[in-house]
Amino acid sequence: MAIDPNNSSVIYTGGYIYNGSTYVMAVSKSTDGGTTWERDTLTTDYCMCYALAIDRSNSNVVYAGGYNGYLFKTTNGGVNWTLSNTGLSGTVYDIKVASTKANTVYAGTSSGVYKSTNAGASWTSTGLSANVQAVLINPSNENEIYAATSNGIYKSTTGGGGWTLMNTGLLNTNTTSLGIYPNNWLFCGTNGTGMYRWSIQVGAEEDAQNNVRKITFRVTPNPFTNYCMIKFEIRDLKSEISLKIFDATGRLIKSFNHLTNYQFNEVVWFGDDENGHKLPAGIYFVQLDSGEFTKIEKVILLKGNN
């Protein structure tokens, strides 16, 4: 979905539609905030739309990217679409249009990051060959480009090119989305371990001694029947840690306190409460807390023990 930055009543959505023989790429547009829609089909062969971007300087210019290198452009607000993928390769997952650099557009594809300096008429590889799920332009410095890939986050300070990997602190490098709070934080979403943030000012998020903190926390097996292992490793943190179990209503079930071995811990939970009584099957939550941070894992007890 893309909302016109100059008119919030104008919305584009992308997807696909069955044309009787195959699924083809389609883009729909609303000019009344989503009350009514008009749809255009962009291909005749199999394709679907994954990415949409509106040029902030000219709302009539819209880009739509999809499967197998298809990228279309309209200059009249969707009345007509033309194929604009010369030099492009891979499925297009994301498109970003520069605000201050005229005619500069980036496309994140399954083959890497591509750049156009002529408003999509032609594309060239930026040298990053990876499965790119998202691309982002820093609005405070449009020479600074970020790419989320299945291998982690890459950064370019030259407007695409000279890419460097910046995975410090990421427990899952399969990254799928990007966001930015200019001059403060870069955010990324991952496939399975939530969201992370990176301090644009100092690099990775750091503690008071500027030591990068790494936390791993997992429950295995999950689901479990008789017992589970709660494992966690925390580096550069020497404060006392508590581990607590809650039921689905938020009621405290069991506590493991005074865990001062901050480098590595392994706790066995037998699905019981503070008094050793076995608990019924259900969903429980394991909370790791140091006073400086809190992490929570959902765990499922499959077989009632009471």
Side-chain angles (χ1 to χ4, degrees), residues 57-305:
S57 64
N58 183 354
S59 297
N60 286 319
V61 177
V62 184
Y63 299 87
Y67 177 76
N68 202 25
Y70 276 112
L71 192 146
F72 291 85
K73 176 186 177 182
T74 177
T75 58
N76 51 21
V79 176
N80 305 105
W81 294 86
T82 57
L83 191 61
S84 301
N85 64 346
T86 300
L88 197 64
S89 177
T91 296
V92 181
Y93 290 116
D94 199 10
I95 304 168
K96 289 294 186 295
V97 183
S99 297
T100 61
K101 293 188 174 184
N103 302 321
T104 299
V105 189
Y106 293 88
T109 82
S110 57
S111 298
V113 175
Y114 288 80
K115 180 179 181 180
S116 174
T117 56
N118 51 18
S122 61
W123 299 83
T124 57
S125 172
T126 63
L128 176 59
S129 298
N131 182 20
V132 177
Q133 299 291 315
V135 65
L136 183 143
I137 304 170
N138 185 349
S140 299
N141 177 6
E142 293 202 343
N143 284 320
E144 196 168 278
I145 313 298
Y146 297 91
T149 78
S150 54
N151 300 319
I153 303 296
Y154 287 84
K155 177 183 178 180
S156 169
T157 58
T158 58
W163 296 93
T164 57
L165 195 60
M166 42 182 287
N167 281 349
T168 301
L170 279 179
L171 303 184
N172 181 350
T173 58
N174 187 3
T175 53
T176 57
S177 60
L178 290 169
I180 194 168
Y181 179 21
N183 302 316
N184 286 278
W185 299 104
L186 174 73
F187 298 90
C188 82
T190 65
N191 185 12
T193 57
M195 180 176 290
Y196 294 79
R197 68 179 184 178
W198 177 285
S199 172
I200 294 174
Q201 297 293 332
V202 296
E205 186 172 3
E206 297 175 330
D207 63 17
Q209 290 74 39
N210 292 323
N211 293 317
V212 176
R213 179 180 302 158
K214 182 178 180 181
I215 304 166
T216 59
F217 179 40
R218 67 185 183 276
V219 180
T220 182
N222 188 13
F224 76 100
T225 53
N226 298 313
Y227 68 90
C228 65
M229 307 291 292
I230 303 169
K231 303 179 181 181
F232 55 93
E233 180 181 5
I234 304 172
R235 299 175 185 173
D236 304 313
L237 180 70
K238 297 177 174 61
S239 60
E240 185 174 292
I241 298 163
S242 70
L243 191 68
K244 295 176 178 164
I245 313 293
F246 297 87
D247 65 14
T249 68
R251 181 170 59 97
L252 178 63
I253 299 297
K254 191 178 182 71
S255 297
F256 302 90
N257 296 313
H258 309 298
L259 303 174
T260 56
N261 179 3
Y262 60 89
Q263 284 294 320
F264 184 78
N265 277 277
E266 185 173 276
V267 175
V268 180
W269 180 42
F270 291 94
D272 58 348
D273 62 15
E274 293 281 19
N275 299 315
H277 299 139
K278 299 300 182 181
L279 298 170
I283 295 175
Y284 297 87
F285 295 91
V286 182
Q287 176 178 295
L288 180 67
D289 187 11
S290 76
E292 298 179 46
F293 67 87
T294 300
K295 285 188 173 293
I296 298 173
E297 286 287 325
K298 180 174 73 173
V299 61
I300 301 174
L301 175 59
L302 289 179
K303 184 174 67 175
N305 293 311

